[in-house]
Amino acid sequence: MTRLDPRGVPLGPIPARAGIGLRSVHHDALLTERPAVGFIEAHTENYFHEGGAAVRALTRARTNYPLSLHGVGMGLGSADGLDREHLARVRQAIRRFEPALVSEHACWGHAGGEHFNDLLPLPYTDEAVELLARQVREAQDFLGVRLLIENVSAYVAFTHSRLTEWEFLAAVARESGCGLLLDVNNVYVSAQNLKVDAHAFLAGLPLNTVGEIHLAGHARQGEVLIDDHGSEVCAAVWELFAHALARFGPLPTLIEWDTDIPPLATLVAEAARADRFLGEVRGITA
Amino acid sequence: MASLRELQRSFAAALRDPGAHCAVEPAANLEVYRNTARVNFRLALAQTFPVLLKRVGAEYFQQLAHHYRARFPSRSGDLHWVGRDFAAFLDAHLAGGEYVWLADLARIEWARNEVSVATEVPAADAAVLATFAPEQLERLVFSLQPALRLVSSSYPAFSVWLANQADNASPVDQSIGSEVGMIRQHANVVEVMILPPDLFSYLSATAEGATLGVAMSAANLEGPRLSEILRFVFTSGLVSSVALADANTHRP
């Protein structure tokens, strides 16, 4: 049972249930149908403004659901440093919407003053661990929250890398105190693209560090899998999800569907499927 | 051993130039990142300038986005403001050609973008004017709503925007000539409207901080027309506050 504050706004940690992304095409349906999902997740950068339809929709949705704020523009691994203005806007959004989870990515996004508005890959080196951990600590101190850092989908590997991706993430979590957001679809996509072992990836992440799971669809372009969030979760990713739950236990799990967005009922059905997996694990670990 | 900064700068260079070397494998997959950056930029621009996109078509819009991005790359992790310089870019890119008026269409759409995420504050009531002595009225300064923008064009750019709100927009007669207008957010709806030139002049001067007296002169307003415009300005909720200009306030 979700606790509510005096305003009726959901409080406290997000339950280990499935949630869905807040999409503008679903704003009205989410309010009128009130699907029984565990939480909603919104892209932080869409809520940097004083007013507007997106802000109004999240304000209304927030009264019915716990919230996870998921950013894509912070570029925490950028060697050129943090964007202070961006951080300030994230802090403003956190104070305004009171999310139970706040997350970003293990990536970089800008160099030489240009932003690429994408989740660019890091080399898995000691220098990158040190820089990312330091900038995550800085961001956490400024924002006043513990961040969850997500593994990105990879299409290239740096020849300079010394660590595996999971060793890298574990080191960043250890040195910064952050949690991890395990994107199971990204693990699958990266494993296929870069010929690494997805199960070794899961086994290599420390227990009690993963705070949330993402599930999404991907597309194939020739030999490359593209993390496009444009379809339902495939069977192989559901299977990997089951392995993740067996290792990490039940966790808040988001269905990410950002392109070719289906009707709300489809998202809710995917969340219900994730809930069945979560329910099985709760039955084992209860 | 290359530093992290060097690796990221070489990656960035490779995103801009497929011929540039970057120490990654497989290098061919850098095209995935080039494409994502390109598409994210173009989609953000398309969302900001939908009428312009509709008017010029997807292929030409893609070319404009490509040239705009080369000249004005994204400077933020937030793509909402990526179109800030698009109108200025079009002024230069289309200068001397028959489509230079697209820059003013971009100005209207940028204004829509700005007001759509601003907030409308409680409007001032015209009754507040009665609290000032008659001799003070010309020294009053009206603050306009934050979610309000004014655009002037040497072309019928507003008519083009308005016509393209329908699916099968009829061509707009360019001989209509110049138009001026207002874009504002009111009751959670973004409105675009053509204004008569004197009202526009009055509002422009007011938006720059002019006193009522200066704004009236700028727009050649007096008598019944002045009363009509003031009635419109207040009943439409355009004014958020009214104050007496102080001695140190610079006014045009």
Side-chain angles (χ1 to χ4, degrees):
Chain A
M1 176 83 159
T2 303
R3 292 185 302 120
L4 305 176
D5 77 0
R7 300 161 297 171
V9 174
L11 278 177
I14 287 179
R17 288 196 51 211
I20 61 173
L22 179 63
R23 312 304 318 186
S24 57
V25 293
H26 297 148
H27 282 170
D28 291 341
L30 194 70
L31 276 176
T32 54
E33 295 171 27
R34 300 265 294 263
V37 294
F39 65 101
I40 54 172
E41 184 161 289
H43 283 160
T44 318
E45 286 77 16
N46 289 339
Y47 305 95
F48 280 0
H49 314 293
E50 275 300 310
V55 161
R56 287 193 297 273
L58 180 55
T59 302
R60 290 195 301 266
R62 181 68 185 90
T63 62
N64 296 326
Y65 299 100
L67 173 66
S68 164
L69 272 184
H70 186 58
V72 297
M74 211 180 279
L76 286 164
S78 301
D80 280 1
L82 296 173
D83 181 334
R84 299 285 157 187
E85 192 181 326
H86 192 102
L87 268 179
R89 292 184 186 276
V90 174
R91 185 168 68 178
Q92 204 168 2
I94 291 171
R95 288 173 175 173
R96 187 174 187 178
F97 297 108
E98 299 173 291
L101 290 175
V102 181
S103 53
E104 253 288 354
H105 297 81
C107 72
W108 62 285
H110 59 273
E114 181 174 358
H115 284 250
F116 294 94
N117 302 107
D118 192 9
L119 310 173
L120 301 179
L122 288 161
Y124 301 133
T125 62
D126 295 332
E127 185 192 0
V129 168
E130 187 281 326
L131 181 130
L132 179 57
R134 174 166 40 83
Q135 296 197 151
V136 167
R137 281 198 306 272
E138 234 175 286
Q140 290 179 138
D141 288 345
F142 182 83
L143 299 173
V145 300
R146 177 179 184 244
L147 289 171
L148 298 183
I149 300 300
E150 178 182 339
N151 55 299
V152 297
S153 53
Y155 308 99
V156 298
F158 280 88
T159 56
H160 292 75
S161 290
R162 190 186 69 76
L163 304 166
T164 63
E165 186 178 354
W166 49 95
E167 289 169 337
F168 175 83
L169 292 168
V172 169
R174 190 169 55 241
E175 292 190 22
S176 70
C178 73
L180 296 176
L181 192 166
L182 174 62
D183 190 308
V184 173
N185 181 60
N186 287 353
V187 172
Y188 182 79
V189 165
S190 299
Q192 295 290 302
N193 288 339
L194 303 181
K195 310 291 186 280
V196 297
D197 185 337
H199 289 93
F201 194 127
L202 298 185
L205 294 181
L207 293 173
N208 302 319
T209 310
V210 179
E212 184 185 347
I213 289 176
H214 274 187
L215 298 172
H218 56 262
R220 178 175 285 281
Q221 278 182 16
E223 295 300 310
V224 183
L225 295 189
I226 305 292
D227 174 40
D228 70 347
H229 297 179
S231 55
E232 61 185 18
V233 178
C234 75
V237 173
W238 282 119
E239 190 183 335
L240 199 55
F241 175 53
H243 281 281
L245 293 182
R247 173 164 172 75
F248 301 110
L251 289 165
T253 298
L254 178 79
I255 300 296
E256 267 192 316
W257 201 322
D258 301 330
T259 55
D260 294 328
I261 298 168
L264 180 60
T266 306
L267 283 191
V268 173
E270 284 276 88
R273 188 170 179 184
D275 269 332
R276 286 193 288 277
F277 280 84
L278 289 161
E280 284 175 15
V281 175
R282 265 195 294 277
I284 294 167
T285 59
Chain B
M1 168 86 157
S3 71
L4 181 62
R5 176 173 273 116
E6 286 166 344
L7 289 175
Q8 290 181 355
R9 296 242 169 159
S10 75
F11 194 104
L15 290 189
R16 292 185 208 101
D17 174 11
H21 170 72
C22 178
V24 297
E25 294 169 339
N29 284 0
L30 282 169
E31 186 54 32
V32 175
Y33 297 99
R34 282 189 205 102
N35 190 57
T36 302
R38 220 167 19 229
V39 168
N40 285 348
F41 189 95
R42 188 177 75 241
L43 283 179
L45 214 58
Q47 279 169 8
T48 308
F49 303 98
V51 173
L52 201 148
L53 164 61
K54 184 180 174 187
R55 190 65 186 73
V56 305
E59 195 177 322
Y60 187 58
F61 189 87
Q62 190 165 328
Q63 291 177 33
L64 290 176
H66 171 77
H67 292 299
Y68 174 60
R69 184 170 174 238
R71 176 74 182 84
F72 293 95
S74 173
R75 297 294 181 196
S76 168
D78 175 12
L79 273 169
H80 188 86
W81 306 109
V82 76
R84 187 194 311 271
D85 299 300
F86 196 46
F89 160 78
L90 291 174
D91 273 335
H93 190 71
L94 302 173
E98 62 177 301
Y99 294 109
V100 66
W101 60 270
L102 288 173
D104 286 344
L105 180 59
R107 284 188 174 84
I108 293 169
E109 298 210 271
W110 183 249
R112 284 198 81 250
N113 189 49
E114 287 189 310
V115 304
S116 70
V117 293
T119 46
E120 187 181 20
V121 302
D125 194 305
V128 71
L129 298 178
T131 65
F132 295 94
E135 63 273 16
Q136 291 179 314
L137 292 179
E138 286 202 358
R139 286 169 38 225
L140 292 179
V141 175
F142 297 169
S143 295
L144 298 180
Q145 287 281 352
L148 185 157
R149 297 289 184 277
L150 302 164
V151 173
S152 72
S153 175
S154 304
Y155 308 93
F158 280 90
S159 291
V160 171
W161 189 91
L162 290 164
N164 277 277
Q165 297 314 296
D167 280 338
N168 298 310
S170 305
V172 169
D173 180 6
Q174 289 283 337
S175 71
I176 289 174
S178 63
E179 288 179 336
V180 292
M182 176 175 72
I183 301 94
R184 71 156 180 167
Q185 191 201 132
H186 177 55
N188 296 334
V189 174
V190 177
E191 302 171 343
V192 177
M193 61 183 76
I194 298 172
L195 298 181
D198 58 353
L199 173 56
F200 182 86
S201 294
Y202 167 78
L203 288 173
S204 296
T206 301
E208 289 174 12
T211 60
L212 177 57
V214 170
M216 282 163 49
S217 297
N220 287 320
L221 294 176
E222 59 183 7
R225 182 60 178 156
L226 172 63
S227 300
E228 187 183 355
I229 280 187
L230 287 181
R231 194 176 312 119
F232 171 80
V233 161
F234 278 95
T235 57
S236 302
L238 304 189
V239 179
S240 60
S241 67
V242 176
L244 201 55
D246 61 38
N248 295 323
T249 303
H250 170 71
R251 297 287 178 246

